[in-house]
Amino acid sequence: MDDRIWTTQAPMPGTTLTLRQCTLECLPPQGAALMSGALDRALAHLAPGAPLLGLLETQPATGPFALRIARDRALLCTAAPLGQQGWHDGWALSAADDAYVALHVSGPAAADLQAACMAPYQASPSAMVKFAGQYALLSRSATGFIARIEAAHSAEIAHCLQLVADNI
């Protein structure tokens, strides 16, 4: 076997994989931007009223929200890319809609798959966690969970989720 030959393709937006008792769907990129600095001021300016979510908190069905990465960093998720990049009044914004891939896992075994891919956790103000061997931002949806992973690791994570789903 040649380790340089990848048999698992990176999931593209719209890709749906049927796993054992759950479905993995690669969501469209929409808008994603990395915020740093004064997060409260950035959110008030960019998306007033948008919640700042921690680990596995439920994201709203509609409207913008942010996923906290660290004390002074978050990923703002919006319906469309934002054009206000650069430094502002104590905060900075960088486009990240091509930096992350959002994988939505739903179905009866979604919670089992999530648990199998991460260590036991406690509530955390940061949505960042080690998931399937890589760091990911995890939130809940009405039907399962969404893992936002670095695009460079999307094929690896999708393959890992397939293997784990076969064994739960």
Side-chain angles (χ1 to χ4, degrees):
M1 178 174 158
D2 189 341
D3 290 341
R4 295 171 293 175
I5 299 173
W6 287 77
T7 56
T8 303
Q9 297 297 314
M12 302 301 292
T15 301
T16 300
L17 299 173
T18 301
L19 307 176
R20 187 179 200 173
Q21 297 184 27
C22 57
T23 302
L24 182 145
E25 179 186 6
C26 184
L27 301 177
Q30 297 183 311
L34 288 171
M35 301 184 305
S36 59
L39 297 180
D40 292 339
R41 275 190 271 178
L43 273 176
H45 178 77
L46 298 166
L52 183 57
L53 306 176
L55 182 60
L56 287 167
E57 290 184 342
T58 303
Q59 68 182 52
T62 60
F65 61 93
L67 297 166
R68 185 182 290 274
I69 297 170
R71 186 173 300 133
D72 64 345
R73 287 181 180 61
L75 182 71
L76 178 61
C77 301
T78 58
L82 300 173
Q84 302 179 29
Q85 296 183 50
W87 280 99
H88 302 277
D89 183 28
W91 54 273
L93 187 72
S94 302
D97 40 311
D98 62 349
Y100 289 89
V101 171
L103 301 176
H104 181 232
V105 179
S106 60
D112 294 335
L113 183 58
Q114 174 228 304
C117 289
M118 59 186 279
Y121 67 93
Q122 296 179 348
S124 171
S126 173
M128 184 70 73
V129 68
K130 194 94 173 216
F131 178 77
Q134 298 296 330
Y135 284 100
L137 295 163
L138 262 61
S139 60
R140 291 194 197 283
S141 70
T143 59
F145 70 92
I146 299 173
R148 284 177 175 78
I149 56 173
E150 290 183 21
H153 300 292
S154 62
E156 175 186 355
I157 300 266
H159 181 70
C160 179
L161 291 175
Q162 289 174 340
L163 292 176
V164 171
D166 287 344
N167 294 306
I168 56 173

